[in-house]
Amino acid sequence: MRELAAHLLRWHAANAVYVLATVVRVAGSAPRPAGATMAVDGSGNVRGSLSGGCVEGAVYELCREVLASGEPVRRTFGYSDADAFAVGLTCGGELEIFVHRITPSEYPAVEAALDPDGPITFVRDLDSGAVCALGPASATGADFDDAVVRQARAMLDLGATGVRVVGCADRERMVFVESFAPAPRMLIFGATDFATALCRVGRLLGYHVTVCEARPAFADHARMPDADEVVRDWPHRYLRRTKVDARTVICVLTHDPKFDVPVLTEALRLPVAYVGAMGSRRADRDRRFQLRAAGLTEHELRRLHSPIGLELGGRTPEETAVAIGAEIVAVRRGGSARSLSATERPIHPGKMQAAAGEFIRLR
């Protein structure tokens, strides 16, 4: 949708009513991903594309109908074996399209979603057509249930887009959540065997993974094939100049005071989501003593997860990486880190179970 920002804002300036037709689900081979959007105004002007041409004509007619009626519509387009020239996708894939009308009352939510500054997610109710733009601590547009807001912000946190069904069976709400945010960052300091394994876990959890290593012989991308980038620099110097935010997680695996203490002194004063450091309990005590001597307060030191990771009993780099990843999830999502069988809490902020295709149901 942001590709159409200039056109949509001109329509807003003219107080125009228009429709957005958006790909909300993709199956098989299809030319455009979920989130691809086409807009049609009351004069029949078309902006954007959904499929490179193969279903545009049919979607255009659907847009004209929604412009007239104001009723949102979901429609699935797929390949027809009987007639390859019928409305469908000759590439063999399937698209589900959601078409809804935008009037001046929805302009603030659309404009908030088009703002390029900061992460934002655009939420659409696939039944009513209500829309809302949600930032990490802001909301513009229609009021959505708390469960929808929590789920949308969790998806924004990961830069995820897709359809979710949220709520209980008697009041379920199907929404399309489109996130405009880069993946959160995982900064790993120290190119060790544990870092190699943690890169894989970080990517699995949806992070953009950077490994920083000061030693030239170890700062080799071939040793860290699952890292998005490998940087050769002193950890504290790199951290001081790189971009972090409230979603960033920092894992210090260098296990060497000359690297650990300077980078942790920087990290524990940053507004990041998680800071952990590897080391034995004795190393942790010594390191905390040095961090106090460097001027860190007890409040700042309480943010440090050290020794890093949950106590799972693992020994290998891969098992350790799982323990670190699990602790990060628990810290960021407010989990107890106990076995589910030993608790009575809901499994999620609503019980989650996967449904078909792109759909996720939360209760």
Side-chain angles (χ1 to χ4, degrees):
M1 187 174 75
R2 282 187 169 179
E3 297 173 359
L4 308 180
H7 303 295
L8 299 184
L9 292 175
R10 279 198 291 270
W11 288 354
H12 289 192
N15 217 38
V17 174
Y18 60 94
V19 297
L20 294 175
T22 301
V23 177
V24 298
R25 186 178 64 88
V26 174
S29 177
R32 299 294 304 278
T37 298
M38 184 172 84
V40 179
D41 72 1
S43 299
N45 296 305
V46 181
R47 300 292 183 267
S49 174
L50 298 178
S51 66
C54 51
V55 301
E56 254 79 355
V59 174
Y60 176 79
E61 294 303 324
L62 199 57
C63 289
R64 299 289 288 175
E65 293 174 17
V66 173
L67 268 169
S69 70
E71 295 297 320
V73 173
R74 290 207 317 272
R75 186 71 54 82
T76 299
F77 296 92
Y79 176 72
S80 169
D81 290 323
D83 183 0
F85 295 99
V87 173
L89 296 170
T90 55
C91 55
E94 184 177 275
L95 298 177
E96 184 171 356
I97 310 295
F98 178 61
V99 185
H100 62 113
R101 190 169 69 177
I102 299 294
T103 65
S105 64
E106 283 88 37
Y107 285 178
V110 173
E111 291 174 8
L114 297 176
D115 186 348
D117 295 328
I120 200 84
T121 186
F122 192 49
V123 185
R124 287 170 249 201
D125 187 308
L126 296 185
D127 294 317
S128 70
V131 298
C132 181
L134 294 169
S138 64
T140 306
D143 289 331
F144 282 84
D145 296 339
D146 287 346
V148 174
V149 173
R150 286 195 301 268
Q151 175 61 17
R153 284 189 169 136
M155 292 174 69
L156 173 62
D157 199 48
L158 296 173
T161 290
V163 174
R164 299 292 185 266
V165 181
V166 183
C168 300
D170 59 342
R171 56 182 185 89
E172 286 184 338
R173 198 167 191 176
M174 181 179 288
V175 296
F176 177 64
V177 179
E178 185 177 7
S179 296
F180 300 101
R185 298 191 71 190
M186 174 180 282
L187 305 180
I188 302 174
F189 294 100
T192 65
D193 289 345
F194 294 98
T196 301
L198 185 56
C199 288
R200 292 196 291 273
V201 170
R203 293 195 72 175
L204 177 65
L205 293 176
Y207 288 94
H208 178 94
V209 181
T210 299
V211 177
C212 178
E213 170 59 63
R215 300 166 296 178
F218 294 92
D220 182 356
H221 204 293
R223 299 182 63 246
M224 305 282 153
D226 291 295
D228 293 288
E229 56 182 343
V230 177
V231 176
R232 194 180 87 182
D233 202 347
W234 278 80
H236 71 285
R237 186 167 60 191
Y238 175 73
L239 183 58
R240 194 176 293 156
R241 63 179 173 81
T242 196
K243 185 176 180 179
V244 300
D245 61 25
R247 304 178 301 152
T248 303
V249 301
I250 296 174
C251 302
V252 178
L253 310 184
T254 47
H255 204 241
D256 184 334
K258 71 175 178 289
F259 296 120
D260 292 356
V261 173
V263 73
L264 287 172
T265 301
E266 295 286 336
L268 292 169
R269 289 170 172 162
L270 293 173
V272 296
Y274 172 92
V275 180
M278 179 171 280
S280 66
R281 297 196 183 278
R282 178 177 177 177
D284 176 58
R285 287 192 296 271
D286 291 344
R287 185 165 51 212
R288 288 177 185 270
F289 178 82
Q290 293 179 65
L291 289 169
R292 288 186 186 94
L296 266 70
T297 67
E298 292 303 317
H299 174 74
E300 290 167 334
L301 284 171
R302 280 196 293 272
R303 298 183 58 218
L304 176 60
H305 296 271
S306 174
I308 196 170
L310 298 184
E311 187 184 10
L312 302 184
R315 292 183 176 273
T316 68
E318 291 74 18
E319 290 171 335
T320 302
V322 168
I324 296 170
E327 182 175 60
I328 290 170
V329 172
V331 169
R332 298 200 61 206
R333 302 299 180 210
S336 69
R338 298 173 61 201
S339 296
L340 287 172
S341 61
T343 70
E344 298 295 329
R345 294 178 56 182
I347 295 175
H348 293 278
K351 190 167 77 177
M352 180 190 294
Q353 60 189 80
E358 295 286 331
F359 296 96
I360 302 293
R361 187 178 303 276
L362 292 107
R363 291 181 180 155

